[in-house]
Amino acid sequence: MSFDNKSHWEGIYAIKKPAEVSWYQTDPAISLELIASTGVGYADKIIDVGGGASVLADKLLNQGFQNLAVLDISAKALDYAKERLGSRATAVKWMVADVTEFKSSEKYNLWHDRAVFHFLTDKSDRKKYIQNMDKALNPSGHVIIATFSINGPLKCSGLDVERYSPEKMKVELGRTFEFIKSVDEGHMTPAGKEQKFTYFYFRKIG
Ligand SMILES: C[S@@+](CC[C@H](N)C(=O)[O-])C[C@H]1O[C@@H](n2cnc3c(N)ncnc32)[C@H](O)[C@@H]1O
């Protein structure tokens, strides 16, 4: 039987609480710093792709951002985030979808992805992701993608990942996106292991 990505992720969130997964963060500090550095306004549209149960949406709501969307392949992951936010969850647009199949009905000013793109080990899936991202972004839209670093782990959640350096990510995103900067992070997992991440900030050209 072929691999079912949705079942895989629903299965993970069925057995693990948000604070038990290796990618858990109490403070998505680098994401918040990079988002602030883009200069996006509180009314601008921001999408967190593969946001899962991350607290990024909570933190952005706290800061005053009003047009947030979170997309994830796992409904269970989004349920965790919605439960945590309580009545504030209605201020966020929640979408259960596979990012490689995502045809956005809206245009966003900022696309954020921490630890989703690196699961796309097939070139055709990466191509679909980048096309969908391009179509979902306004001209000059901001892109923040965090992956395992080029010397980071080979697997996450039992799945193979593709690791990136700035040079490799530039080739991947192609000429439609201008590289602005990258930031390295040593992420400490709840089990106390360090994982090397790199955050890439690009801007859509035109
Ligand atoms: C490693 S977790 C990162 C979660 C979150 N971004 C964070 O930093 O806490 C990867 C997330 O991507 C979701 N995911 C995996 N493949 C996906 C896909 N093809 N489309 C949308 N979401 C996906 C998973 O359900 C999971 O919530």
Side-chain angles (χ1 to χ4, degrees), residues 103-114:
K103 305 288 174 237
S104 181
S105 57
E106 302 190 42
K107 296 276 187 196
Y108 294 91
N109 301 97
L110 192 149
W111 174 284
H112 177 270
D113 159 353
R114 175 173 177 267

PDB file of all heavy atoms in Angstrom, residues 103-114:
ATOM      1  N   LYS A 103      -5.180  25.094  -3.358  1.00  0.00           N
ATOM      2  CA  LYS A 103      -5.443  26.165  -4.337  1.00  0.00           C
ATOM      3  C   LYS A 103      -6.099  27.293  -3.550  1.00  0.00           C
ATOM      4  O   LYS A 103      -7.285  27.212  -3.226  1.00  0.00           O
ATOM      5  CB  LYS A 103      -6.377  25.680  -5.455  1.00  0.00           C
ATOM      6  CG  LYS A 103      -5.867  24.434  -6.171  1.00  0.00           C
ATOM      7  CD  LYS A 103      -4.662  24.738  -7.077  1.00  0.00           C
ATOM      8  CE  LYS A 103      -4.065  23.480  -7.677  1.00  0.00           C
ATOM      9  NZ  LYS A 103      -2.646  23.274  -7.395  1.00  0.00           N
ATOM     10  N   SER A 104      -5.341  28.293  -3.231  1.00  0.00           N
ATOM     11  CA  SER A 104      -5.841  29.347  -2.348  1.00  0.00           C
ATOM     12  C   SER A 104      -6.873  30.223  -3.042  1.00  0.00           C
ATOM     13  O   SER A 104      -6.695  30.613  -4.197  1.00  0.00           O
ATOM     14  CB  SER A 104      -4.676  30.216  -1.878  1.00  0.00           C
ATOM     15  OG  SER A 104      -5.152  31.205  -1.015  1.00  0.00           O
ATOM     16  N   SER A 105      -7.942  30.528  -2.299  1.00  0.00           N
ATOM     17  CA  SER A 105      -8.957  31.450  -2.831  1.00  0.00           C
ATOM     18  C   SER A 105      -8.600  32.890  -2.465  1.00  0.00           C
ATOM     19  O   SER A 105      -9.284  33.821  -2.857  1.00  0.00           O
ATOM     20  CB  SER A 105     -10.336  31.092  -2.264  1.00  0.00           C
ATOM     21  OG  SER A 105     -10.268  31.132  -0.849  1.00  0.00           O
ATOM     22  N   GLU A 106      -7.537  33.063  -1.674  1.00  0.00           N
ATOM     23  CA  GLU A 106      -7.139  34.398  -1.235  1.00  0.00           C
ATOM     24  C   GLU A 106      -5.666  34.636  -1.540  1.00  0.00           C
ATOM     25  O   GLU A 106      -4.909  33.695  -1.760  1.00  0.00           O
ATOM     26  CB  GLU A 106      -7.328  34.521   0.278  1.00  0.00           C
ATOM     27  CG  GLU A 106      -8.745  34.253   0.691  1.00  0.00           C
ATOM     28  CD  GLU A 106      -8.975  34.622   2.137  1.00  0.00           C
ATOM     29  OE1 GLU A 106      -8.481  35.680   2.560  1.00  0.00           O
ATOM     30  OE2 GLU A 106      -9.640  33.839   2.823  1.00  0.00           O
ATOM     31  N   LYS A 107      -5.291  35.897  -1.479  1.00  0.00           N
ATOM     32  CA  LYS A 107      -3.874  36.263  -1.659  1.00  0.00           C
ATOM     33  C   LYS A 107      -3.322  36.706  -0.319  1.00  0.00           C
ATOM     34  O   LYS A 107      -3.960  37.503   0.384  1.00  0.00           O
ATOM     35  CB  LYS A 107      -3.743  37.421  -2.653  1.00  0.00           C
ATOM     36  CG  LYS A 107      -4.207  37.080  -4.056  1.00  0.00           C
ATOM     37  CD  LYS A 107      -3.109  36.395  -4.842  1.00  0.00           C
ATOM     38  CE  LYS A 107      -3.538  36.229  -6.301  1.00  0.00           C
ATOM     39  NZ  LYS A 107      -2.690  35.262  -7.015  1.00  0.00           N
ATOM     40  N   TYR A 108      -2.162  36.206   0.018  1.00  0.00           N
ATOM     41  CA  TYR A 108      -1.544  36.513   1.306  1.00  0.00           C
ATOM     42  C   TYR A 108      -0.342  37.440   1.122  1.00  0.00           C
ATOM     43  O   TYR A 108       0.310  37.445   0.071  1.00  0.00           O
ATOM     44  CB  TYR A 108      -1.110  35.205   1.994  1.00  0.00           C
ATOM     45  CG  TYR A 108      -2.305  34.359   2.374  1.00  0.00           C
ATOM     46  CD1 TYR A 108      -2.822  33.397   1.505  1.00  0.00           C
ATOM     47  CD2 TYR A 108      -2.967  34.563   3.583  1.00  0.00           C
ATOM     48  CE1 TYR A 108      -3.949  32.659   1.832  1.00  0.00           C
ATOM     49  CE2 TYR A 108      -4.097  33.825   3.919  1.00  0.00           C
ATOM     50  CZ  TYR A 108      -4.579  32.880   3.040  1.00  0.00           C
ATOM     51  OH  TYR A 108      -5.706  32.157   3.371  1.00  0.00           O
ATOM     52  N   ASN A 109      -0.040  38.186   2.211  1.00  0.00           N
ATOM     53  CA  ASN A 109       1.146  39.047   2.212  1.00  0.00           C
ATOM     54  C   ASN A 109       2.356  38.295   2.762  1.00  0.00           C
ATOM     55  O   ASN A 109       3.492  38.675   2.501  1.00  0.00           O
ATOM     56  CB  ASN A 109       0.917  40.293   3.067  1.00  0.00           C
ATOM     57  CG  ASN A 109      -0.250  41.103   2.564  1.00  0.00           C
ATOM     58  OD1 ASN A 109      -1.369  40.976   3.066  1.00  0.00           O
ATOM     59  ND2 ASN A 109      -0.025  41.883   1.524  1.00  0.00           N
ATOM     60  N   LEU A 110       2.066  37.252   3.550  1.00  0.00           N
ATOM     61  CA  LEU A 110       3.180  36.508   4.159  1.00  0.00           C
ATOM     62  C   LEU A 110       2.818  35.022   4.264  1.00  0.00           C
ATOM     63  O   LEU A 110       1.731  34.671   4.734  1.00  0.00           O
ATOM     64  CB  LEU A 110       3.492  37.081   5.541  1.00  0.00           C
ATOM     65  CG  LEU A 110       4.802  36.611   6.189  1.00  0.00           C
ATOM     66  CD1 LEU A 110       5.374  37.703   7.088  1.00  0.00           C
ATOM     67  CD2 LEU A 110       4.650  35.332   7.001  1.00  0.00           C
ATOM     68  N   TRP A 111       3.756  34.206   3.825  1.00  0.00           N
ATOM     69  CA  TRP A 111       3.628  32.739   3.877  1.00  0.00           C
ATOM     70  C   TRP A 111       4.670  32.243   4.863  1.00  0.00           C
ATOM     71  O   TRP A 111       5.862  32.514   4.683  1.00  0.00           O
ATOM     72  CB  TRP A 111       3.894  32.207   2.473  1.00  0.00           C
ATOM     73  CG  TRP A 111       3.954  30.721   2.267  1.00  0.00           C
ATOM     74  CD1 TRP A 111       4.976  29.884   2.594  1.00  0.00           C
ATOM     75  CD2 TRP A 111       2.959  29.913   1.621  1.00  0.00           C
ATOM     76  NE1 TRP A 111       4.689  28.602   2.184  1.00  0.00           N
ATOM     77  CE2 TRP A 111       3.453  28.586   1.588  1.00  0.00           C
ATOM     78  CE3 TRP A 111       1.707  30.172   1.048  1.00  0.00           C
ATOM     79  CZ2 TRP A 111       2.739  27.537   1.014  1.00  0.00           C
ATOM     80  CZ3 TRP A 111       1.001  29.119   0.468  1.00  0.00           C
ATOM     81  CH2 TRP A 111       1.509  27.821   0.470  1.00  0.00           C
ATOM     82  N   HIS A 112       4.238  31.555   5.923  1.00  0.00           N
ATOM     83  CA  HIS A 112       5.167  31.013   6.911  1.00  0.00           C
ATOM     84  C   HIS A 112       5.038  29.499   6.942  1.00  0.00           C
ATOM     85  O   HIS A 112       3.923  28.951   6.913  1.00  0.00           O
ATOM     86  CB  HIS A 112       4.841  31.582   8.306  1.00  0.00           C
ATOM     87  CG  HIS A 112       5.704  31.008   9.398  1.00  0.00           C
ATOM     88  ND1 HIS A 112       5.361  29.868  10.103  1.00  0.00           N
ATOM     89  CD2 HIS A 112       6.897  31.412   9.893  1.00  0.00           C
ATOM     90  CE1 HIS A 112       6.316  29.613  10.979  1.00  0.00           C
ATOM     91  NE2 HIS A 112       7.252  30.524  10.880  1.00  0.00           N
ATOM     92  N   ASP A 113       6.167  28.819   6.990  1.00  0.00           N
ATOM     93  CA  ASP A 113       6.175  27.349   7.060  1.00  0.00           C
ATOM     94  C   ASP A 113       7.356  26.946   7.934  1.00  0.00           C
ATOM     95  O   ASP A 113       8.506  27.232   7.589  1.00  0.00           O
ATOM     96  CB  ASP A 113       6.310  26.800   5.629  1.00  0.00           C
ATOM     97  CG  ASP A 113       6.830  25.355   5.556  1.00  0.00           C
ATOM     98  OD1 ASP A 113       7.236  24.767   6.585  1.00  0.00           O
ATOM     99  OD2 ASP A 113       6.855  24.822   4.431  1.00  0.00           O
ATOM    100  N   ARG A 114       7.074  26.342   9.076  1.00  0.00           N
ATOM    101  CA  ARG A 114       8.174  25.766   9.867  1.00  0.00           C
ATOM    102  C   ARG A 114       8.030  24.255   9.837  1.00  0.00           C
ATOM    103  O   ARG A 114       7.055  23.702  10.348  1.00  0.00           O
ATOM    104  CB  ARG A 114       8.146  26.269  11.315  1.00  0.00           C
ATOM    105  CG  ARG A 114       9.203  25.604  12.209  1.00  0.00           C
ATOM    106  CD  ARG A 114       9.267  26.237  13.572  1.00  0.00           C
ATOM    107  NE  ARG A 114      10.210  25.577  14.461  1.00  0.00           N
ATOM    108  CZ  ARG A 114       9.880  24.602  15.324  1.00  0.00           C
ATOM    109  NH1 ARG A 114       8.630  24.158  15.410  1.00  0.00           N
ATOM    110  NH2 ARG A 114      10.794  24.067  16.104  1.00  0.00           N
TER     111      ARG A 114
END
